[in-house]
């Protein structure tokens, strides 16, 4: 992909994992048309497997003005009965991953509780 477009290649993003959008703070400008506008997604491919328990999304970031390809973006998600895992790799957006573990027997109550006097 294009290292001229990017300030820092593959920045570490901690637990940030984007399945859409772009990390525009890391976009220098397009070397072809010399603009620094929004980027667009092209060639987006989404695949779901195992009845929806895993998902991969891949697309390319491109200049909105001239369609110059900036970087390839990969995102993955998987879930089982114990945890959810997310990951992202992209020269523009960086790399990140996160794992959320479930606690067996814990029920989350989303209703607001009111105080009774």
């Amino acid at each position: 992909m294009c290292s001229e477009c990017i300030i820092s290649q593959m920045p570490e993003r901690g637990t940030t994992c984007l399945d859409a959008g772009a990390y525009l703070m890391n976009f220098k400008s397009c070397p072809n048309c010399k603009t620094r506008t929004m980027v667009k997604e092209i060639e987006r491919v989404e695949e779901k497997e195992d009845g929806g328990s895993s998902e991969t999304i891949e697309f390319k970031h491109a200049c909105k003005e001239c369609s110059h390809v900036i970087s390839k973006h990969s995102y993955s998600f998987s879930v089982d009965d114990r945890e959810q895992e997310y990951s992202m790799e992209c020269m523009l957006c960086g790399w990140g991953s996160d794992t959320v573990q479930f606690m067996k027997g814990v029920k989350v109550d989303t209703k607001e509780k009111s105080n009774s006097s």
Side-chain angles (χ1 to χ4, degrees), residues 10-52:
M10 292 286 286
E12 196 275 318
R13 299 290 307 281
T15 58
T16 300
C17 298
L18 305 174
D19 62 349
Y23 182 42
L24 294 177
M25 295 294 294
N26 196 32
F27 179 50
K28 208 183 298 184
S29 67
C30 177
N32 286 357
C33 66
K34 311 293 186 230
T35 61
R36 187 175 190 272
T37 62
M38 297 293 289
V39 299
K40 63 182 177 180
E41 290 180 12
I42 60 171
E43 300 176 20
R44 185 179 177 99
V45 177
E46 296 184 29
E47 294 180 6
K48 292 187 181 187
E49 298 175 14
D50 300 328

Side-chain angles (χ1 to χ4, degrees), residues 28-77:
K28 208 183 298 184
S29 67
C30 177
N32 286 357
C33 66
K34 311 293 186 230
T35 61
R36 187 175 190 272
T37 62
M38 297 293 289
V39 299
K40 63 182 177 180
E41 290 180 12
I42 60 171
E43 300 176 20
R44 185 179 177 99
V45 177
E46 296 184 29
E47 294 180 6
K48 292 187 181 187
E49 298 175 14
D50 300 328
S53 64
S54 68
E55 174 182 49
T56 58
I57 298 173
E58 292 188 347
F59 57 88
K60 292 179 182 173
H61 294 292
C63 175
K64 194 171 186 175
E65 299 299 318
C66 71
S67 297
H68 170 74
V69 176
I70 300 163
S71 68
K72 179 181 175 185
H73 187 105
S74 299
Y75 166 86
S76 66
F77 166 79

